[in-house]
Amino acid sequence: MTAQMSKASLPIVTLLSGDREINPMHGYTTEMDVSHMRGAVFPVGAGRQISFRINTFGGNVSGLKFEVRTIDGTSLVESTPIMDYSESSTAINGSFQIKDLITAGTEYMLVFVMDTSVGESRFYSRIVWTEDDSRYNLDEELDFVTAFSAATFNKTEAKEYTKYLESNSEGDNTTFNKVNIHSSFNQVTWGELNITKHTDPEIYVTDIHGQTGSYKLCYRVTVKDGNVSRNYNVEEAFRVRHTSDRMYLLNYERTMNYVFDSGSYSISSNTIGLSISNPQIQLMENGSGSAFAFVSENRLFMFNNSESRLAYLFGFFDTDNNDIRTRWNNNTIKILKVDEAGNVKFAVAGYHARGIHEGQVGIAVYDYNASINAVEEQVFIESDQAPEILVSFVNTLAYLGNGDVFYVMLEQNIHAVDLIGRTANAVATDIGSGDYKISESERTIAWQGRDLQSFNMMNLNTRAQSEIKADDGDYIVVLGFMGEDLVYGLVHSEDVQKDKMGNPVYAMYAIKIQDSDGNLLENYHPDGIYVTGVSIADNQIRLTRVVKDDNGEYVSTYDDQIMSTLKVEKGSNSVNAVSVDVFEKIVQISAKNEIKVKNLRVLTPNQTLYEGTRTVELNNGRDRESQPFYYVHGLLGIEGIFTDPAEAVKVATDAPGTVTNDSNKYVWIKGNLLRSNQIMAITRNAENYENMMATDPTVVCLDMILQFEGINRNVDAMLDSGESVTSILQESLPDVTVLDLDGCPMSAMLYYVNQDLPVMAMLNDGTAVLIIGFNDLNTVLMNPLTGQVYKYGMNDSDKLFSENGNHFVTYIRNGR
């Protein structure tokens, strides 16, 4: 038996800032891991009063209460019933006051708890008490971003906002799919598109602090093209700074994506038109190219050309299910397989907005049977992770191997899920504790431990595993995949030296490339030259190289590259971006064979009903202390999950955004700096430090940091015993997380100084300095050779540290 997917039934909760509804919250039917929930944030005024609205959509809601939890979820601060509210047929309006148990300027998690038609449901939002009613200038910033957004639809009104744009060559004025602060005025104001209507935006406060605020608006526009009207989803992001003088627009980004309509006007004799869309759409075809599946705006379609069939296989949004709940973009669809009969296997990961898993977060694997035109769930893997984090893992690895075995990466582990027997086991564990790489097709994985003595390689189609070991006295380093071919390096132990922070540098005497069957394709082995860095892009490997000088130290030499002569295989059906007049650049799928449009049948499969449950449980633990993750949140969502804090900060710098850790606490924030700050305790200690000129600069800097934290250690002896800068700090300061931020820009380090945390910078001549302050024009440095604390120009500082490799180390206190 089959039936249509059930409709959404959960309510939506919004918070009120004056008369404005913001931060829509979606309901969860299972208790989530608070330490990874971000969502939106709401600044609470001096009276700690919060007003809310619940859109019930006519459903039953009862038993209202709210909880306040610490941001890491470990402690319940308050749990109180909500008594002050009024009800109508479609909404509940109310307010409550949070008890005086929270600390100003500290983020907490607010949880609405209520009984709904699908059971007890929870709604999550961050809050921060500002202790005054300015609430970080929330209302002024909201007025600005909403007015800016509305003005883009009227070129006359928009002229007053041109002063906020930074139009230059960095802006891409060839596509409406992505627009930013560097785009032209005409591009930001929608060019010559005939926009006939746009919906009121859903407003999210994605981040807010004393100096900066980040906002996201989600809405839909209708564009008329001749006699045809098309709908597009729009996400618009702002990062602003409010001052007493004016508002500053720091960043602006907008995306526009066509909501594919299976009506014939989107399909011609040889193409399926996706209008203005991201060209990086997911498409998978069968071996002959007669059938293919593609994903457009989180909706999955299958086209079978030989049978003239277009089927809408999966999506929470459709014409009959069209509201804020079903349009929420917090899940992903991964196509796993398309066979010759047009059957499709696919996974849906993240938040489930309706259906049997409504309000749950997890991974559902489905099978579309073309002969009966029905979709059947095969397994469901439930998760308490934030949906965007689960989506990030699934986008990293989700693969269907032979024998209907589904492989997925979660946390540090790769799991094999038997879709027939509905059992699961981990095939690779703790791979993130060392290093791992995944091939382009995700068919092959390689991983190794931190000892670099060997690595494991696994073909997920056959489950065949092999171990490749280094020779005695050597190390082996997994570097990545070029397509499906593995790239790795070999290092003699005597060639390992330490960098400025005391960490090992593995200078590789050989680079090898081998295919998935173990055949050696390339052995790059230059005489007397060592490779210290490798970047792989498309069919090119770029090599950063060094040679030894007369003292046996490494010095840079010219880069080299390895090119692949293999042609990239392309499918019979392809995705192309085409330039046109008014719409500038559109995306279309070019079909292998002619599409008989008049014969085309458009199908919407039902879902197969079944008894019992098809849930598969995975054992997915991780030691967060020894294997921490760093989460980068950009203007439009999560940008990545990293084990290296330096990589996270570099990505967040460009995003721009924030970095959080496993406790949901900030590791780094873009901007949000005071006009000036200086760590005066270190300034005073430098003046009184004895025998500074006779002491190693690294020792002085470490001493200064430890004394600042109230710790005394024999740093000189610890360095002599072979300990690194980071290990000394971590061992001496157990209540902090030490951050090796090698390669990050100097400007990013000011965040820590702004928090009264010193930053140690290592220089190429073996000396070091401490960054202990800044103002608009200068950094404040402490020179350990002289004890002098002095100002140094901001541009000069940036040049000094970049020419010395940007070797930085600092820390964050775990209690903050």
Side-chain angles (χ1 to χ4, degrees):
M1 296 178 63
T2 64
Q4 291 184 350
M5 185 192 303
S6 58
K7 294 182 176 296
S9 62
L10 284 167
I12 292 290
V13 180
T14 54
L15 301 178
L16 301 182
S17 183
D19 295 329
R20 185 185 274 131
E21 289 188 61
I22 64 173
N23 295 354
M25 287 174 266
H26 297 254
Y28 294 83
T29 54
T30 54
E31 196 162 351
M32 303 300 293
D33 178 1
V34 169
S35 66
H36 289 129
M37 298 291 284
R38 291 291 293 172
V41 61
F42 186 79
V44 182
R48 303 184 306 283
Q49 193 81 10
I50 292 180
S51 297
F52 65 90
R53 180 169 297 150
I54 303 174
N55 185 346
T56 63
F57 298 92
N60 294 321
V61 172
S62 61
L64 297 177
K65 71 173 183 177
F66 73 91
E67 298 174 347
V68 177
R69 296 181 176 272
T70 53
I71 200 65
D72 60 0
T74 56
S75 300
L76 176 64
V77 178
E78 178 182 358
S79 178
T80 304
I82 300 175
M83 309 303 294
D84 181 14
Y85 62 88
S86 61
E87 293 186 68
S88 69
S89 60
T90 59
I92 297 174
N93 292 279
S95 64
F96 56 86
Q97 185 181 41
I98 296 174
K99 294 177 182 177
D100 187 13
L101 300 172
I102 57 178
T103 303
T106 299
E107 288 189 0
Y108 293 85
M109 188 64 69
L110 173 68
V111 187
F112 286 86
V113 185
M114 61 193 74
D115 293 322
T116 68
S117 60
V118 289
E120 187 176 72
S121 304
R122 288 172 167 80
F123 302 75
Y124 297 85
S125 173
R126 287 176 291 143
I127 58 170
V128 57
W129 178 34
T130 62
E131 230 176 358
D132 62 49
D133 289 325
S134 69
R135 297 187 304 145
Y136 294 155
N137 307 299
L138 173 69
D139 290 324
E140 293 88 343
E141 292 179 357
L142 282 174
D143 288 342
F144 173 79
V145 300
T146 53
F148 185 107
S149 177
T152 63
F153 297 101
N154 185 312
K155 292 186 187 295
T156 301
E157 293 180 7
K159 286 181 179 178
E160 68 174 283
Y161 292 95
T162 55
K163 62 186 177 184
Y164 298 103
L165 296 178
E166 300 174 11
S167 303
N168 56 34
S169 59
E170 293 182 37
D172 181 0
N173 295 312
T174 66
T175 175
F176 290 110
N177 172 244
K178 290 185 178 179
V179 173
N180 62 29
I181 196 171
H182 300 298
S183 301
S184 68
F185 172 80
N186 187 59
Q187 200 75 7
V188 172
T189 55
W190 308 93
E192 304 307 316
L193 295 177
N194 182 13
I195 297 178
T196 56
K197 64 178 179 180
H198 56 89
T199 61
D200 291 334
E202 301 153 17
I203 303 171
Y204 299 86
V205 186
T206 54
D207 224 27
I208 194 164
H209 305 279
Q211 283 71 47
T212 60
S214 297
Y215 302 86
K216 183 170 72 172
L217 308 184
C218 300
Y219 54 93
R220 181 168 286 184
V221 299
T222 302
V223 181
K224 192 172 183 180
D225 180 20
N227 295 322
V228 173
S229 291
R230 298 185 176 92
N231 292 322
Y232 298 79
N233 289 332
V234 178
E235 288 191 347
E236 201 168 22
F238 301 79
R239 192 170 71 94
V240 300
R241 182 172 73 241
H242 178 278
T243 70
S244 57
D245 299 326
R246 56 166 290 189
M247 192 76 71
Y248 292 87
L249 180 61
L250 303 175
N251 297 92
Y252 172 72
E253 294 181 11
R254 188 178 72 206
T255 63
M256 178 183 186
N257 286 285
Y258 173 51
V259 181
F260 177 68
D261 186 339
S262 56
S264 59
Y265 59 76
S266 292
I267 302 174
S268 68
S269 60
N270 55 6
T271 63
I272 296 177
L274 299 178
S275 191
I276 299 169
S277 293
N278 187 334
Q280 303 300 318
I281 73 159
Q282 191 183 162
L283 183 144
M284 182 181 288
E285 62 184 14
N286 60 13
S288 65
S290 62
F292 58 84
F294 65 94
V295 178
S296 171
E297 280 299 87
N298 267 1
R299 301 200 299 164
L300 175 65
F301 298 86
M302 189 281 300
F303 178 67
N304 189 329
N305 205 354
S306 60
E307 298 183 11
S308 294
R309 290 170 39 156
L310 175 70
Y312 170 33
L313 303 191
F314 195 93
F316 295 115
F317 161 79
D318 57 39
T319 306
D320 298 325
N321 297 272
N322 181 9
D323 61 43
I324 187 174
R325 298 171 296 179
T326 57
R327 292 196 302 263
W328 195 36
N329 184 17
N330 215 357
N331 53 73
T332 190
I333 297 174
K334 191 83 171 274
I335 306 169
L336 302 174
K337 182 181 180 182
V338 181
D339 69 15
E340 289 305 309
N343 302 317
V344 182
K345 278 192 167 60
F346 61 97
V348 178
Y351 180 85
H352 289 245
R354 63 187 183 101
I356 61 173
H357 301 300
E358 181 182 4
Q360 290 179 280
V361 175
I363 306 167
V365 180
Y366 293 96
D367 179 59
Y368 169 67
N369 188 321
S371 63
I372 62 173
N373 190 38
V375 171
E376 180 176 0
E377 179 184 293
Q378 296 193 287
V379 298
F380 180 70
I381 304 164
E382 190 172 3
S383 174
D384 64 354
Q385 290 269 25
E388 57 269 23
I389 291 177
L390 187 67
V391 165
S392 183
F393 284 128
V394 168
N395 284 338
T396 300
L397 175 65
Y399 184 83
L400 184 69
N402 294 339
D404 272 359
V405 178
F406 172 65
Y407 295 90
V408 64
M409 180 176 178
L410 297 174
E411 297 274 351
Q412 302 274 18
N413 308 321
I414 294 178
H415 302 269
V417 182
D418 184 341
L419 300 181
I420 299 173
R422 299 191 180 94
T423 58
N425 65 289
V427 296
T429 59
D430 297 332
I431 62 173
S433 61
D435 202 2
Y436 67 91
K437 303 295 178 183
I438 301 172
S439 70
E440 187 174 320
S441 71
E442 301 179 19
R443 183 178 67 229
T444 309
I445 58 174
W447 70 98
Q448 65 181 149
R450 291 179 177 176
D451 60 5
L452 302 184
Q453 296 297 305
S454 65
F455 68 81
N456 293 285
M457 193 169 173
M458 182 175 181
N459 184 316
L460 299 184
N461 262 346
T462 62
R463 296 192 73 165
Q465 284 197 49
S466 58
E467 184 181 24
I468 300 175
K469 296 183 177 181
D471 293 338
D472 290 342
D474 276 8
Y475 296 104
I476 192 166
V477 183
V478 174
L479 299 171
F481 281 89
M482 177 185 280
E484 299 302 306
D485 301 326
L486 179 65
V487 183
Y488 62 93
L490 301 175
V491 184
H492 292 311
S493 57
E494 61 268 21
D495 293 330
V496 178
Q497 297 185 10
K498 290 188 176 181
D499 65 13
K500 304 300 177 185
M501 296 297 182
N503 301 313
V505 174
Y506 296 97
M508 295 170 279
Y509 67 85
I511 302 294
K512 294 192 175 184
I513 305 175
Q514 71 174 46
D515 63 21
S516 57
D517 295 323
N519 300 311
L520 187 65
L521 306 177
E522 177 75 30
N523 184 9
Y524 178 86
H525 192 169
D527 187 34
I529 300 179
Y530 304 86
V531 177
T532 55
V534 171
S535 63
I536 304 172
D538 299 325
N539 65 336
Q540 182 185 82
I541 304 175
R542 190 169 186 83
L543 308 172
T544 302
R545 310 191 308 168
V546 296
V547 294
K548 289 182 179 179
D549 62 14
D550 294 338
N551 299 319
E553 301 290 332
Y554 292 126
V555 294
S556 296
T557 187
Y558 61 92
D559 292 348
D560 199 2
Q561 61 186 22
I562 301 173
M563 299 288 293
S564 172
T565 57
L566 296 176
K567 291 185 178 181
V568 178
E569 293 186 12
K570 294 185 177 180
S572 305
N573 306 279
S574 60
V575 179
N576 305 299
V578 181
S579 295
V580 293
D581 289 336
V582 174
F583 285 73
E584 293 187 344
K585 191 174 286 183
I586 61 172
V587 175
Q588 58 188 30
I589 300 172
S590 299
K592 172 186 176 184
N593 298 315
E594 180 187 357
I595 300 173
K596 297 180 174 61
V597 178
K598 292 184 178 179
N599 299 331
L600 187 65
R601 292 178 296 156
V602 179
L603 309 174
T604 303
N606 283 338
Q607 293 194 339
T608 301
L609 302 177
Y610 58 87
E611 294 182 349
T613 177
R614 295 187 174 177
T615 298
V616 174
E617 293 186 2
L618 301 183
N619 182 12
N620 197 44
R622 168 171 63 95
D623 184 347
R624 294 182 178 182
E625 288 191 10
S626 62
Q627 300 170 1
F629 280 178
Y630 299 91
Y631 306 84
V632 178
H633 308 274
L635 292 178
L636 290 170
I638 195 164
E639 296 282 343
I641 302 172
F642 302 87
T643 55
D644 180 4
E647 288 302 313
V649 169
K650 282 185 277 191
V651 170
T653 302
D654 295 333
T658 63
V659 181
T660 59
N661 60 15
D662 284 314
S663 298
N664 214 358
K665 296 176 182 177
Y666 291 105
V667 175
W668 187 83
I669 301 171
K670 175 75 171 183
N672 195 47
L673 300 177
L674 300 170
R675 295 293 297 271
S676 63
N677 193 48
Q678 185 169 339
I679 307 173
M680 297 309 298
I682 294 181
T683 303
R684 290 189 293 269
N685 285 346
E687 295 171 352
N688 301 322
Y689 197 93
E690 297 180 0
N691 301 320
M692 183 171 289
M693 295 182 64
T695 307
D696 183 291
T698 303
V699 173
V700 176
C701 288
L702 287 172
D703 262 349
M704 286 289 177
I705 293 173
L706 295 180
Q707 288 179 25
F708 175 63
E709 293 292 341
I711 302 294
N712 287 302
R713 290 283 188 275
N714 188 343
V715 174
D716 212 344
M718 298 173 81
L719 284 171
D720 287 344
S721 68
E723 291 198 51
S724 67
V725 168
T726 52
S727 66
I728 291 172
L729 288 174
Q730 193 64 75
E731 180 183 328
S732 305
L733 303 173
D735 295 328
V736 310
T737 298
V738 176
L739 303 172
D740 183 345
L741 299 178
D742 208 46
C744 294
M746 184 279 296
S747 59
M749 298 304 104
L750 301 184
Y751 166 77
Y752 301 100
V753 182
N754 192 68
Q755 310 295 312
D756 287 329
L757 297 168
V759 177
M760 182 175 174
M762 305 295 295
L763 306 180
N764 289 338
D765 61 4
T767 63
V769 299
L770 283 185
I771 308 174
I772 61 171
F774 66 90
N775 58 31
D776 286 344
L777 301 175
N778 305 287
T779 60
V780 180
L781 308 179
M782 192 283 290
N783 186 344
L785 292 175
T786 63
Q788 180 187 8
V789 173
Y790 60 98
K791 293 179 180 178
Y792 200 58
M794 196 67 73
N795 292 334
D796 292 332
S797 298
D798 185 67
K799 181 180 180 183
L800 168 68
F801 294 123
S802 62
E803 288 178 347
N804 281 271
N806 282 336
H807 303 295
F808 301 114
V809 64
T810 185
Y811 56 95
I812 56 173
R813 299 185 181 99
N814 294 334
R816 296 185 180 179

